[in-house]
Amino acid sequence: MFKYTFEQNVRVIVGQGSIGAIGEVVLESGFNKAFLVYDSGIEKTGILARIENILSENSVQYVEYGEVQPDPPAEIINRGAKLCRETGCDCIIAIGGGSSIDTGKGINILRFNAGNILDYAIQPMEECSGLIVVPTTAGTGSELSNGAIVSDEKTGTKVPILCFNNMPDYAILDPELTVGMPYGLTLITGLDAFSHAAESYTSIGANPMTDIICEKVMTTVIENLPIVLQEPNNIEARERMQCSASMGGWMLYSASAHVGHSIAHVIGAQFHLPHGAACAYTLPTVFKVVAEIYPEKIAYIGRMLGATIDSNSTSEEIGAKTAQAFTEFTEMLQLKKMDALSLDQDLLKELSARVVAEPLAMFSPIQVDEALARKMLSDVLKYNG
């Protein structure tokens, strides 16, 4: 089959108040009974009740599954899939941030495929359908990305699962649903969206079409994230952030993140760091390393962030200036500094091996071996031992 590099098949409904269309979406898709996947926070905000009212008004039955946890544990997904099958639900509505959407993706896989969700980290899956996602954050882009991150409770690791055969049928982007996000969550999810675009821009999977979108996503986040942090009710800025996050997820599908996300997954699982924060802590180091291969692209990002980079700058200077500009941007937005972490040579060696084995590392423009992983981890974690 002819190989192509650019695709987006999820039907996206975007705009203020667009959540009102969810009942119509379910019915027009031929579904009758929805399995609602969400966390306790969604219930507290009133978003769940609002969606349930719309479904009831459209005579759509539903079953609640409010067991979502951060960094979705495999057991939560396996248990949800069992309940979904037992109750005869014919579609899934995942409501919330990346954890809810990834949990919904995992449950949907097990509607069409037997076994444990972790099986599908290494084996192919049958085509899946009937997944509708309603993001309430502006960061992960899981609604348009081709992956789900599942935690293996036995090993304490985060396991990526490719979902080319399990993309949502619909994504509903209603910026009103993000208004209640607290400052810290708004910040780290926004930085997550930036990291998706920055890494996809510098991945070996990048191409001229993805480059243009990644550039626009990064610019939009830089312009609008400070606005939504200072003006939480600014719907226009929130809509632009939500669209940027989704487009960033699409770029993960089209070009892929790389070693920055591998490091973020490893240190996030080891030290229990929120994913968006882990990506933000990692990105300056990524810029310094990748500048050796893509100095023009890293310089573009640096200038976008306000760095002064002239045509005579060396790749090392470009990487350092871009890293500093991004750090200053996150400090201006009041990103919490990383706490002191317990680390020694043995743990550093173990974490380095995990980074090398992490699937996304293969998309790095510079080969990631244990020496490079150790160097990058030492820089990220400020380890001098």
Side-chain angles (χ1 to χ4, degrees):
M1 187 177 75
F2 184 76
K3 185 177 180 181
Y4 55 91
T5 58
F6 204 67
E7 178 182 38
Q8 205 294 101
N9 291 324
V10 179
R11 300 175 183 89
V12 181
I13 302 171
V14 60
Q16 186 175 0
S18 57
I19 191 60
I22 194 165
E24 191 177 347
V25 165
V26 172
L27 292 176
E28 288 192 359
S29 300
F31 302 125
N32 299 296
K33 192 173 185 180
F35 192 71
L36 307 185
V37 178
Y38 59 92
D39 62 26
S40 59
I42 293 301
E43 188 169 13
K44 291 174 184 175
T45 63
I47 292 173
L48 177 66
R50 184 176 174 186
I51 290 173
E52 289 180 340
N53 287 338
I54 296 169
L55 294 176
S56 296
E57 289 168 1
N58 286 272
S59 300
V60 176
Q61 299 180 63
Y62 57 82
V63 172
E64 297 179 346
Y65 189 65
E67 303 298 320
V68 171
Q69 296 179 14
D71 302 321
E75 180 53 33
I76 295 292
I77 293 172
N78 294 332
R79 196 160 66 233
K82 182 174 183 291
L83 178 62
C84 184
R85 291 191 297 266
E86 289 174 348
T87 53
C89 293
D90 56 7
C91 68
I92 290 172
I93 301 176
I95 311 155
S99 294
S100 291
I101 295 175
D102 284 0
T103 299
K105 283 182 175 180
I107 292 171
N108 203 47
I109 289 170
L110 296 182
R111 287 179 60 225
F112 295 89
N113 298 269
N116 183 304
I117 188 57
L118 292 174
D119 297 340
Y120 297 95
I122 55 175
Q123 71 185 44
M125 65 184 72
E126 295 296 323
E127 189 81 26
C128 308
S129 62
L131 176 62
I132 300 165
V133 297
V134 183
T136 62
T137 64
T140 69
S142 187
E143 59 273 13
L144 297 190
S145 79
N146 62 332
I149 304 298
V150 178
S151 292
D152 183 340
E153 305 98 308
K154 294 180 180 177
T155 63
T157 58
K158 293 186 179 183
V159 180
I161 296 177
L162 287 178
C163 296
F164 288 106
N165 284 347
N166 183 42
M167 295 297 291
D169 292 359
Y170 286 90
I172 299 178
L173 308 184
D174 187 338
E176 287 183 352
L177 304 184
T178 71
V179 170
M181 283 199 298
Y183 187 102
L185 183 60
T186 301
L187 172 57
I188 62 174
T189 52
L191 294 175
D192 191 20
F194 185 90
S195 74
H196 293 159
E199 288 188 46
S200 296
Y201 188 53
T202 54
S203 162
I204 61 171
N207 63 64
M209 295 189 77
T210 60
D211 281 355
I212 290 171
I213 295 174
C214 288
E215 289 170 0
K216 185 61 176 178
V217 169
M218 287 186 283
T219 300
T220 305
V221 172
I222 290 168
E223 292 173 349
N224 288 273
L225 183 54
I227 295 174
V228 297
L229 289 170
Q230 296 303 318
E231 304 173 27
N233 295 318
N234 189 318
I235 293 295
E236 181 180 354
R238 283 199 174 275
E239 183 173 81
R240 293 182 72 80
M241 281 300 302
Q242 198 173 40
C243 290
S244 295
S246 287
M247 298 293 274
W250 181 21
M251 293 304 94
L252 295 179
Y253 181 105
S254 303
S256 183
H258 54 86
V259 65
H261 264 58
S262 294
I263 293 173
H265 288 158
V266 168
I267 66 174
Q270 179 68 35
F271 301 110
H272 307 291
L273 301 172
H275 176 69
C279 288
Y281 298 144
T282 300
L283 210 46
T285 299
V286 173
F287 291 147
K288 287 185 278 190
V289 169
V290 173
E292 179 183 334
I293 307 298
Y294 291 140
E296 295 88 358
K297 284 190 170 184
I298 300 301
Y300 189 95
I301 296 172
R303 294 187 185 105
M304 195 185 294
L305 288 160
T308 301
I309 300 173
D310 60 43
S311 59
N312 296 321
S313 297
T314 65
S315 60
E316 185 176 0
E317 290 169 341
I318 290 169
K321 288 182 178 181
T322 301
Q324 182 59 33
F326 181 73
T327 299
E328 289 173 359
F329 178 66
T330 62
E331 288 175 347
M332 181 265 290
L333 298 178
Q334 300 176 42
L335 176 68
K336 182 178 180 285
K337 291 188 181 298
M338 192 187 302
D339 293 331
L341 303 172
S342 178
L343 189 65
D344 57 29
Q345 283 287 350
D346 289 340
L347 180 56
L348 183 63
K349 182 177 180 180
E350 179 186 337
L351 297 181
S352 300
R354 287 190 208 169
V355 170
V356 173
E358 215 278 339
L360 292 177
M362 72 176 68
F363 292 97
S364 169
I366 186 167
Q367 184 176 357
V368 181
D369 56 20
E370 287 201 25
L372 178 61
R374 190 178 302 114
K375 175 184 174 183
M376 294 183 74
L377 280 165
S378 296
D379 192 41
V380 171
L381 300 175
K382 307 296 186 288
Y383 178 69
N384 298 310

